[in-house]
Structure formats: C-alpha cells, structure tokens
C-alpha cells in the first residue's frame, strides 16, 4: 500500500467540511508528491448511500431501524473500500475520507447495537494511518447546525441527547482501540481547530515529504 489514508470523524456540526477542505489544501501545497488527493465521504453516492440519505431525511426517531442502518452503512463502506479507497491507495494517493468505520461504531452504538459487535464486524476494514475525531459538546454542534441549515429540516440523528451519546462513544472508541486516533478540540474557532489538525499530522509523522 503506497498511499496515505486519513479519516475525519465527529458528530454532525463538528466542522468536518471545513477541515477536509483545509487538509486537502495543506497536503497538496506541501509537496509535488501529494498532487493526487482523493477527497471522499461516507455515506457515498452509490445506490446504497443514497438510500441511507433518504432514510436520514425522512425518519425522525434516531433510535429506530438500527440494524437496517448498520447493514446499509457497512455494505456502502465495503463497496467504497473495494472500488475507490483501496485502488487509490495502491496508486499512491492521499485519501481523505469524511466519515469511516468509526462513525458506525459511534452512531450505531448510540442506536443500541453493542459496540463490541460493531468493532467485530468491521475488523477487516483497513485501519487509516490517522483518524481525527473532531470533538465538541452536542449543544454547541446543534447551534452550528441550526445556523447553517436554518431553512432545512432536521435529520434523523440530529437530536441533542442522541448526539451527546455519539460524542461519548467517539471518546470511548479513541481510548479503547489500538488504532491511531487523535481527538481534536473542535469547540473553538475553525482556524484554531485546523492548527491542531496540522499538529496532529506532524506529530504522527505520516507525511514523509
Ligand atoms: P453526514 O451528515 O456526515 O453526511 O453523514 C450522514 C449521517 O449518517 C450522519 O448523521 C452520521 C450518520 N452515519 C452513521 O450513523 N453511521 C455511519 O457509518 C456513517 C458513515 C454515517
């Protein structure tokens, strides 16, 4: 595997979009060797991913349909890995993925599926060189979502109590798993948050050039 795989995680409203954009800029600006960056996300735009997005827009209760959600997210990820992530890494790309298997651990555990089971069914999915978890209190994230989507409807998982459980699950996962995961304080302004992201990348030494 010649490429570098970085995942960005966090509750809704954590600011992943901005961090993904800045990361791409930072990495491509660093060296000509990083001209090829794949910016990608889950759920994807595949049929399965689109089905999931419909459910997110339509349903209200964050805890309903946990098994169905699990099934769709994991099938979508399997295809994403086989068709996009692994081929790009083979070609030496830097792959930046907005949400990955840790989303399934944090969200579907909050829906009531045991965390151990979520870890087990995803144990063969490639571990990123670094996963950044953007951490902030759910109430702060909700305020950002309301500001951003003031005309849009509420999505299935955008419930304050549910989101705080997801947040706690992320913190638990970061402690429990041996995977390289760094928690970033995303409760401050976005430039400060990005500074921390850069520091985490430097500290891990995952970009040799
Ligand atoms: P997004 O808002 O980042 O596009 O993600 C869509 C929603 O899907 C978000 O609320 C998080 C949720 N999700 C899961 O519950 N499990 C998963 O495995 C993934 C990838 C996303």
């Amino acid at each position: 595997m010649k490429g570098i795989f970085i995942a960005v995680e966090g509750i809704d409203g954590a600011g992943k979009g901005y961090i993904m954009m800045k990361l791409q800029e930072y990495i491509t600006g660093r060296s000509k060797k990083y001209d090829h960056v794949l910016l990608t996300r889950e759920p994807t735009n595949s049929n399965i991913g689109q089905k999931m997005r419909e459910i997110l827009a339509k349903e209200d209760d964050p805890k309903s349909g946990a098994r169905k959600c699990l099934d769709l997210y994991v099938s979508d990820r399997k295809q994403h890995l086989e068709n996009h992530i692994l081929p790009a890494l083979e070609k030496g790309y830097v792959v930046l993925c907005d949400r990955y298997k840790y989303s399934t651990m944090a969200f579907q555990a909050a829906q009531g599926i045991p965390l151990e089971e979520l870890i087990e069914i995803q144990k063969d999915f490639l571990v990123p060189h670094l996963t950044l978890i953007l951490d902030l209190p759910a109430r702060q994230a909700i305020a950002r979502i309301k500001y951003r989507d003031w005309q849009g409807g509420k999505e299935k998982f955008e419930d304050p109590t549910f989101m705080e459980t997801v947040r706690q699950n992320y913190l638990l996962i970061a402690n429990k798993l041996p995977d390289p995961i760094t928690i970033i304080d995303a409760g401050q302004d976005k430039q400060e948050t990005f500074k921390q992201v850069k520091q985490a990348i430097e500290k891990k030494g995952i970009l040799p050039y």
Side-chain angles (χ1 to χ4, degrees):
M1 197 72 56
K2 292 180 282 178
I4 298 163
F5 184 17
I6 301 173
V8 179
E9 293 274 2
I11 57 175
D12 300 329
K16 288 184 287 97
Y18 176 80
I19 296 299
M20 291 289 291
M21 186 190 77
K22 292 295 285 182
L23 257 180
Q24 180 182 27
E25 210 177 273
Y26 171 65
I27 291 170
T28 48
R30 210 180 139 113
S31 161
K32 276 243 174 300
K33 304 220 171 178
Y34 301 132
D35 266 359
H36 297 297
V37 174
L38 172 69
L39 204 64
T40 188
R41 69 185 297 191
E42 294 182 1
T44 68
N45 282 329
S46 72
N47 289 345
I48 306 173
Q50 281 176 17
K51 192 161 174 200
M52 197 54 233
R53 287 200 186 277
E54 276 167 32
I55 293 175
L56 290 171
K58 216 167 53 192
E59 291 186 2
D60 230 19
D61 174 6
K63 291 209 170 177
S64 70
R67 293 275 159 195
K68 183 169 186 175
C69 292
L70 173 62
D71 204 39
L72 290 172
Y73 284 123
V74 170
S75 315
D76 185 43
R77 181 159 307 122
K78 215 169 170 193
Q79 283 189 2
H80 192 207
L81 268 166
E82 279 167 17
N83 301 338
H84 299 279
I85 299 176
L86 294 174
L89 290 172
E90 282 298 339
K91 283 193 257 169
Y93 279 44
V94 179
V95 176
L96 299 179
C97 195
D98 179 336
R99 296 200 179 285
Y100 185 56
K101 63 175 172 172
Y102 309 99
S103 281
T104 299
M105 294 176 197
F107 281 78
Q108 277 58 66
Q111 285 195 291
I113 299 177
L115 180 58
E116 291 304 331
E117 183 184 335
L118 299 167
I119 295 172
E120 177 62 25
I121 48 171
Q122 300 193 95
K123 69 177 187 317
D124 294 334
F125 289 162
L126 184 69
V127 174
H129 293 94
L130 180 61
T131 296
L132 302 156
I133 295 179
L134 306 185
D135 176 60
L136 79 173
R139 57 177 163 70
Q140 201 179 341
I142 293 269
R144 286 187 190 171
I145 294 170
K146 283 199 176 136
Y147 180 73
R148 186 185 66 193
D149 304 337
W150 62 280
Q151 278 179 313
K154 178 185 151 295
E155 265 196 1
K156 181 175 171 71
F157 295 137
E158 289 172 4
D159 166 89
T161 312
F162 183 83
M163 279 172 64
E164 193 55 42
T165 308
V166 175
R167 178 199 188 193
Q168 296 306 329
N169 287 343
Y170 270 128
L171 298 176
L172 188 76
I173 291 159
N175 253 314
K176 191 180 170 76
L177 296 181
D179 307 17
I181 297 175
T182 302
I183 301 283
I184 303 289
D185 174 8
Q188 49 196 328
D189 75 58
K190 50 191 187 178
Q191 287 85 356
E192 273 309 309
T193 304
F194 185 63
K195 251 191 217 167
Q196 272 191 56
V197 166
K198 277 196 293 192
Q199 281 165 5
I201 287 180
E202 297 309 328
K203 197 166 160 208
K204 291 278 178 195
I206 54 169
L207 295 178
Y209 306 108

